[in-house]
Amino acid sequence: MSGVRMGLLCLLLASGPAAAEQELPIYPGTIHTRIGNDLVIGGEYYRLAYFTTTDPMDKVALYFAKKWQDEGYPTVVEGDMKDEGVVSALYTREGLQRGVVLRKHLGKTVGFTVLRDLWVRPPKKPAPGLISLEGALYSQDLATRDDPGGSQSRTTLVTGELTKVQQQVNAELEKRGYAPVRNSAMKVGGGTQLTLEHARKGEQVVTTLSPAEEGVTAVVQMWIGSDRPDAVPNDDAVRQSRQAWEKDQSQKREGSK
């Protein structure tokens, strides 16, 4: 498996920001759902989104390959295009990599589009202490470029309908001492998207739930080192988070000697 393919698959299936508002790849006629904002994964900046389509995988792959090849960018196509596939292009002048990772799920093609910054390297962050959910198909921890005490997130695809997953999220957060602050719902692409806010002293968790497929719910959680409504970090939360981060870095340095 090549480095290009391995990097994208590990990123999505372990399951400065990317060139200042550069666009993610888009497949026509589908709704693309962003996963977070500017993300740090494996020490590099990314933007991610996912979409689903009834089009066969080889048709989706051919669209991206032809588009990027016609634009003159070095393009790599890999996979059997039945169960999995990857299409990736290097934007050498901008220092970007655009790609799409394709999978089959419930008879449809699921695509994860990727924008990767090849030049900027953020500082390493500790993994966030966010909840794990039963029935997770995959889960990925992510971190923004903020200093320790800023924000960290976890993205999960989990089996279960929206209401059932909502109940599970509420129960797990309450076990950890978080109290519900507010809930909101809105219509997105013909479905309902829920946003749950929980807080405890010095921190809060914002959880967004949306249906990805029948019987599958996408869960995006963001932990913020603040319990203020404007999300400005508390001095105490930032101090504790920074101390934990510095201790982790010190232990890693000692272990490498």
Side-chain angles (χ1 to χ4, degrees):
M1 184 178 291
S2 75
V4 170
R5 186 179 180 199
M6 176 65 79
L8 286 172
L9 290 178
C10 289
L11 161 68
L12 291 167
L13 300 173
S15 203
E21 301 309 318
Q22 291 281 350
E23 294 181 354
L24 279 159
I26 299 293
Y27 187 67
T30 62
I31 297 173
H32 289 62
T33 302
R34 282 286 297 271
I35 301 174
N37 192 13
D38 289 327
L39 308 172
V40 176
I41 305 173
E44 297 179 330
Y45 285 122
Y46 289 85
R47 289 182 184 152
L48 308 176
Y50 70 89
F51 67 91
T52 63
T53 178
T54 56
D55 290 350
M57 188 180 297
D58 55 356
K59 180 179 179 180
V60 178
L62 179 62
Y63 168 80
F64 287 105
K66 186 176 187 304
K67 172 180 171 60
W68 291 331
Q69 288 168 352
D70 289 349
E71 292 174 351
Y73 296 108
T75 303
V76 175
V77 180
E78 296 184 281
D80 57 20
M81 297 306 160
K82 294 181 180 179
D83 296 313
E84 65 175 31
V86 177
V87 185
S88 178
L90 294 177
Y91 286 59
T92 52
R93 179 174 297 180
E94 296 93 338
L96 298 173
Q97 178 186 11
R98 282 187 170 89
V100 59
V101 177
L102 303 171
R103 283 288 185 274
K104 294 297 292 185
H105 181 68
L106 297 178
K108 293 185 179 181
T109 300
V110 180
F112 295 89
T113 57
V114 182
L115 177 66
R116 174 189 178 196
D117 195 314
L118 300 174
W119 290 344
V120 181
R121 292 294 181 270
K124 294 182 179 180
K125 301 284 182 116
L130 300 176
I131 66 172
S132 299
L133 297 171
E134 293 183 12
L137 299 174
Y138 80 82
S139 182
Q140 177 67 63
D141 288 349
L142 313 168
T144 67
R145 62 175 59 215
D146 301 318
D147 289 333
S151 64
Q152 298 178 336
S153 65
R154 172 169 291 171
T155 301
T156 308
L157 278 181
V158 59
T159 55
E161 300 295 340
L162 197 67
T163 301
K164 178 182 177 182
V165 176
Q166 177 188 6
Q167 293 171 349
Q168 187 180 351
V169 169
N170 283 331
E172 289 297 325
L173 286 172
E174 288 176 11
K175 286 180 183 177
R176 300 190 180 194
Y178 290 90
V181 177
R182 64 181 64 86
N183 296 343
S184 61
M186 61 183 298
K187 294 293 183 180
V188 178
T192 299
Q193 177 176 288
L194 299 178
T195 300
L196 316 176
E197 298 180 43
H198 294 76
R200 66 183 184 185
K201 185 178 180 181
E203 56 187 282
Q204 62 179 300
V205 177
V206 180
T207 307
T208 301
L209 302 96
S210 55
E213 285 288 341
E214 183 178 354
V216 178
T217 300
V219 181
V220 179
Q221 289 194 296
M222 176 171 287
W223 173 88
I224 304 168
S226 171
D227 56 5
R228 293 173 42 158
D230 57 8
V232 175
N234 298 322
D235 290 342
D236 187 54
V238 172
R239 178 183 58 78
Q240 293 180 14
S241 180
R242 184 177 295 278
Q243 287 176 347
W245 180 80
E246 290 174 348
K247 181 179 179 181
D248 178 73
Q249 297 303 304
S250 177
Q251 290 174 341
K252 288 180 179 179
R253 287 193 295 269
E254 290 297 325
S256 63
K257 292 181 179 180

